[in-house]
Amino acid sequence: MTDVSAPSPVPGRTPAARPEVGSPAPLVLSAVGLRKHFPVRGMRTSAVVHAVDDVDLDLHRGEVVALVGESGSGKSTIARVLAHLMPATGGEIRLHGEPVVARRRRDFRRYVHRVQMIFQDPFASLNPIHPVRYTLSRSLRLHRGRMPRDEHERALHELLARVQLTPPELYVDKYPHELSGGQRQRVAIARALAADPEVLLADEPISMLDVSIRLGILNLLRDLRDRLDIAILYITHDIASARYFADRTVVLYAGRVVESGDSESVTQDPKHPYTQLLIGSAPDPDDLQARARGARGEAPSLVTPPPGCRFHPRCPFAVELCRTAVPPLTEVASGRRAACWGYPGDDADVPDGLARPTLGSMLDTYGARPGREEGADR
Amino acid sequence: MTATVSDRRPPAVPERTPVLEIENLSVDYGYDDDPAHVLRGVSLTLHRGEVLGLAGESGCGKSTLAYAATRLLPPPGLVTGGRVMFTDRDGSRSDVLALSDAELRAARWQDVAIVFQGAMNSLNPVFRVGRQIADGIRAHRSVGRREALDRAAELLEMVGISPDRLRDYPHQLSGGMRQRVMIAMALALEPQVLLMDEPTTALDVVMQRQIVEQIAELRERLGFAVVFITHDVSLLIEMADRIAIMYAGEIVEDAPAREIYQRPRHPYSSALLHSFPPLRGARRELSGIPGAPPNMAHLPTGCPFVPRCPHAADACRAGRPTLGPTAFAEAGRSVACTLHDGAREVPQELAQR
């Protein structure tokens, strides 16, 4: 799999069996201590936006990892850095364990051949003046080289069939404006598949689409994961769709990972107070009681992020320790990790004289509507 | 005009007074010979103090309905028929579509206020928020600048923003706060109807919950009626009293919120409800709705949902179903589907009691 120079055509790859529990699938792409800061525009300032700080992320073969967070939490930045669309400020991106630095054009192309990205807006990501044939042919030619005409045609049709745009003849000569949003997103996915990638970075692939066709796209991506054994990073703000689609879920808050684990347990038994707030805030008609009512506050400024845990200004359980020291991402249950001082861990991390907070139930805390405090929104 | 509903309307639930009655409203887009009929004879009644949810996919006409009913529809939108009756507190009725310019100017914001889609970006970036709120007040009431600013401070406090933010420019506020400023502004003249067009779509769930709670609380206190437009049906079920589901420029089902959730009667409502993966409960395979929303410029004859409907029959292709009582004659519910005409048996998933 590490041989970049000889790509196998998409249909040629044999799907491996789904990994058994306990024998993890091989690691494909990983980020170690990833950091991205953006300079603040303006005069005489050296301030930076701490968009992403110390993020570790592992993508295994045939696994969907969801990156969940609110807008401004850095989830799209992570995707763009992983796709080498912008350089990282610090940390490493490793492909099959090897650090990748794609400074030169040729390196970049070789990297992109294996790591493809799907963008949020299929209305903007397809060139409106070219038909589907051109869009896909270009990707095929770049990544698989020139091929005889009939072979090329066959590859085109295979790609369209793979994303369930059938019969392919009906779609291959259409322009983007003749397609619906869902069909366009399928073309964008086909374009990514033309490179025969090992990793798909999907940046909110369904949030611009009509609600009734979103599941169709998620089901298609899941089908691709199973058949082609692709690793998928699914970026979303909708934690319910992460539960539906992803094997593992990583929750981001203000540029840091606050919790990770398998999707089912993260959504059913959230450990970090922020995840609890997130789950408790999502609309759920089945259970109108379990609502985090009366929550206040907003995400912090990332130019001057709060010291310590970045969630502490909104956290009802925060103590002095949370305000001074950054909590490490520690194992809180089997396969579950959370960055919260409220869970027992290595006490060597805890500065002298400070006590760990006692966590309570987020729902109990926010269950009753508290009186509004003066200036609580600042 | 094929869609008339007045004769088949189910018995109204008593002791509710209507405040806004939309009757047979039709809107076309385009002035040429072949306009797209984006609203086709829509009738909807909003009662005093009620939260009415308007749900549907993009392009189904839900925003068009709100804009047409307030005469804010930009060209090439054209209201081609219908009435929008507004009932004032003293019981006097007027047709919004027939008001003169001066009357309309006086009535807007005072009777019906709107929180626009992407409200976060509808504040003027070069004026302080306090002044923007005060301007709206001074346009309708003869009060001094000082008084208007005091009122603006009150309004900000009401939506949970500290009054010293009056002198902030919009860029100094976060997205959630800007949204609340818009709500404060909309409530400045104590309107009787508040139209909210996707007010929380651009916000995160935590902020969305804060805003939704705020609206619920304010409504309880001030007693205005809300039309809440969104595609997020799960949110509506939580906050709305009644939900109208729209598809291809028509209302296909109109029912109390909990009812529609537990017992949907229209195949589209049922499918839409199953398009949202649940956060709790069993994880099961969901399929969404096959196909794509119809092209409004070339609608099929008959029911527009036919190409995507699992229960489509010949009767559905023959004529457009109109909004009428359900097969079970439930009070306060209506549905536009041939399945409820009595000729066919209602499929089990749409017949839950």
Side-chain angles (χ1 to χ4, degrees):
Chain A
M1 284 311 296
T2 44
D3 186 6
V4 208
S5 54
S8 64
V10 173
R13 191 188 280 173
T14 47
R18 302 278 304 133
E20 299 294 317
V21 181
S23 62
L27 188 63
V28 186
L29 188 68
S30 57
V32 183
L34 199 66
R35 182 171 296 194
K36 178 70 191 174
H37 295 171
F38 295 101
V40 175
R41 271 180 301 167
M43 290 166 291
R44 295 186 297 275
T45 171
S46 56
V48 293
V49 176
H50 300 250
V52 175
D53 265 323
D54 304 318
V55 167
D56 294 338
L57 201 64
D58 289 338
L59 293 176
H60 296 270
R61 241 176 98 177
E63 186 188 51
V64 178
V65 175
L67 201 55
V68 180
E70 51 197 343
S71 33
S73 62
K75 49 194 197 305
S76 289
T77 305
I78 291 178
R80 277 157 202 267
V81 171
L82 282 179
H84 273 279
L85 296 180
M86 47 171 77
T89 310
E92 253 178 17
I93 297 167
R94 296 183 189 154
L95 192 60
H96 294 290
E98 312 243 327
V100 195
V101 185
R103 290 253 160 70
R104 288 175 306 161
R105 193 188 171 87
R106 188 185 295 168
D107 291 342
F108 175 70
R109 183 150 296 172
R110 195 149 41 173
Y111 181 78
V112 163
H113 173 60
R114 302 165 71 172
V115 180
Q116 280 278 316
M117 187 151 172
I118 303 165
F119 294 91
Q120 177 172 2
D121 185 358
F123 295 83
S125 67
L126 295 178
N127 191 333
I129 64 167
H130 291 304
V132 170
R133 175 189 297 280
Y134 177 90
T135 304
L136 296 185
S137 297
R138 202 172 144 73
S139 186
L140 276 175
R141 208 162 286 152
L142 278 175
H143 294 293
R144 298 200 202 157
R146 289 196 172 275
M147 47 181 112
R149 179 170 292 184
D150 55 334
E151 203 179 306
H152 181 88
E153 201 67 15
R154 206 162 49 238
L156 270 181
H157 283 211
E158 260 164 22
L159 279 175
L160 286 172
R162 176 138 285 152
V163 295
Q164 292 155 16
L165 287 176
T166 45
E169 308 80 58
L170 202 65
Y171 295 98
V172 74
D173 289 314
K174 287 247 161 89
Y175 284 87
H177 72 87
E178 296 174 286
L179 302 174
S180 71
Q183 290 169 340
R184 280 186 229 203
Q185 195 60 291
R186 284 170 197 268
V187 172
I189 294 171
R191 175 173 61 184
L193 291 180
D196 189 20
E198 293 170 56
V199 180
L200 273 184
L201 305 171
D203 186 4
E204 305 233 20
I206 57 167
S207 54
M208 297 287 280
L209 304 178
D210 276 323
V211 284
S212 67
I213 52 179
R214 290 181 178 178
L215 284 167
I217 297 289
L218 287 190
N219 289 342
L220 167 69
L221 286 172
R222 185 156 58 184
D223 175 63
L224 295 175
R225 172 200 71 182
D226 290 344
R227 282 199 298 163
L228 309 178
D229 230 12
I230 298 178
I232 298 179
L233 181 68
Y234 171 60
I235 291 172
T236 183
H237 59 264
D238 176 13
I239 198 162
S241 75
R243 179 195 180 214
Y244 176 74
F245 173 51
D247 302 302
R248 272 193 309 130
T249 293
V250 176
V251 182
L252 274 183
Y253 182 75
R256 285 184 190 276
V257 174
V258 293
E259 178 158 2
S260 68
D262 69 286
S263 303
E264 191 62 20
S265 37
V266 169
T267 49
Q268 301 310 299
D269 177 26
K271 298 289 186 194
H272 195 282
Y274 172 66
T275 320
Q276 292 171 4
L277 178 64
L278 195 65
I279 303 269
S281 298
D284 179 8
D286 273 329
D287 192 357
L288 294 179
Q289 299 315 309
R291 298 273 65 91
R293 290 184 205 283
R296 288 280 173 260
E298 325 189 311
S301 151
L302 293 178
V303 180
T304 49
C309 173
R310 287 183 179 177
F311 187 58
H312 86 247
R314 300 170 74 182
C315 183
F317 316 116
V319 295
E320 192 51 33
L321 174 61
C322 308
R323 290 188 266 271
T324 45
V326 178
L329 200 61
T330 48
E331 182 142 348
V332 292
S334 164
R336 300 285 305 279
R337 306 212 297 160
C340 179
W341 286 120
Y343 292 95
D346 189 357
D347 283 323
D349 298 332
V350 181
D352 286 340
L354 292 176
R356 288 174 181 273
T358 315
L359 296 184
S361 156
M362 205 69 177
L363 284 182
D364 290 347
T365 311
Y366 281 142
R369 209 172 282 189
R372 202 177 306 120
E373 293 154 47
E374 200 59 32
D377 282 283
R378 304 221 72 172
Chain B
M1 195 54 50
T2 42
T4 44
V5 293
S6 45
D7 49 340
R8 290 181 56 209
R9 187 175 284 276
V13 180
E15 76 211 14
R16 290 193 302 178
T17 51
V19 58
L20 198 67
E21 293 156 276
I22 298 169
E23 293 166 15
N24 258 322
L25 191 64
S26 297
V27 170
D28 284 359
Y29 276 145
Y31 301 126
D32 52 1
D33 298 335
D34 188 23
H37 306 289
V38 291
L39 278 190
R40 299 177 299 162
V42 171
S43 297
L44 195 63
T45 306
L46 177 70
H47 297 95
R48 213 164 267 287
E50 175 184 57
V51 178
L52 172 68
L54 212 51
E57 297 174 73
S58 27
C60 72
K62 47 193 198 306
S63 298
T64 302
L65 179 60
Y67 293 144
T70 46
R71 280 178 62 184
L72 283 170
L73 202 63
L78 201 63
V79 177
T80 53
R83 292 199 305 172
V84 179
M85 300 305 294
F86 174 79
T87 312
D88 212 334
R89 286 192 180 96
D90 58 12
S92 61
R93 284 158 60 89
S94 54
D95 184 355
V96 176
L97 299 184
L99 291 179
S100 71
D101 283 0
E103 288 168 328
L104 184 67
R105 185 175 294 244
R108 270 188 186 150
W109 222 249
Q110 171 121 317
D111 297 335
V112 181
I114 303 193
V115 176
F116 291 100
Q117 193 164 11
M120 306 164 49
N121 301 321
S122 38
L123 287 168
N124 191 330
V126 302
F127 292 117
R128 300 179 198 276
V129 293
R131 168 158 178 203
Q132 296 189 46
I133 301 177
D135 274 356
I137 299 171
R138 278 159 59 86
H140 285 268
R141 307 269 156 88
S142 53
V143 293
R145 183 183 299 276
R146 194 64 261 158
E147 257 173 280
L149 277 175
D150 287 347
R151 171 81 181 130
E154 244 171 69
L155 287 163
L156 282 192
E157 202 155 15
M158 190 170 76
V159 296
I161 298 177
S162 144
D164 53 358
R165 290 275 172 151
L166 270 183
R167 290 186 58 76
D168 278 5
Y169 286 98
H171 76 266
Q172 291 169 289
L173 305 175
S174 72
M177 289 169 92
R178 264 179 274 178
Q179 188 65 270
R180 282 185 224 193
V181 170
M182 289 305 299
I183 294 172
M185 204 183 267
L187 296 176
L189 301 171
E190 300 183 347
Q192 299 167 58
V193 176
L194 186 61
L195 295 178
M196 312 191 85
D197 188 9
E198 309 248 9
T200 60
T201 306
L203 302 175
D204 305 305
V205 281
V206 180
M207 187 54 63
Q208 168 176 301
R209 177 145 304 279
Q210 293 182 22
I211 299 274
V212 162
E213 274 175 30
Q214 194 107 60
I215 296 166
E217 194 188 302
L218 290 171
R219 179 187 62 125
E220 245 161 62
R221 199 134 52 91
L222 306 175
F224 50 83
V226 181
V227 178
F228 197 99
I229 300 173
T230 181
H231 61 261
D232 189 345
V233 193
S234 8
L235 181 68
L236 278 187
I237 291 158
E238 249 184 59
M239 72 167 300
D241 301 316
R242 206 154 55 86
I243 295 180
I245 306 253
M246 290 190 71
Y247 188 77
E250 287 172 356
I251 290 174
V252 295
E253 186 162 7
D254 179 352
R258 302 294 299 170
E259 296 258 314
I260 222 165
Y261 174 61
Q262 283 153 358
R263 296 177 281 275
R265 296 294 184 227
H266 195 281
Y268 177 67
S269 316
S270 166
L272 193 63
L273 286 167
H274 289 106
S275 295
F276 294 89
L279 195 49
R280 293 176 185 80
R283 252 164 85 152
R284 59 205 149 92
E285 185 66 27
L286 299 170
S287 54
I289 308 178
N295 178 352
M296 294 301 288
H298 304 100
L299 281 177
T301 54
C303 173
F305 191 56
V306 162
R308 306 172 77 186
C309 183
H311 310 294
D314 288 342
C316 306
R317 292 179 191 91
R320 180 130 30 89
T322 55
L323 210 55
T326 64
F328 315 101
E330 292 146 302
R333 297 198 65 165
S334 46
V335 64
C337 179
T338 56
L339 284 172
H340 292 272
D341 283 352
R344 279 195 287 164
E345 197 178 332
V346 182
Q348 205 209 328
E349 80 234 42
L350 303 175
Q352 274 147 22
R353 301 307 293 263

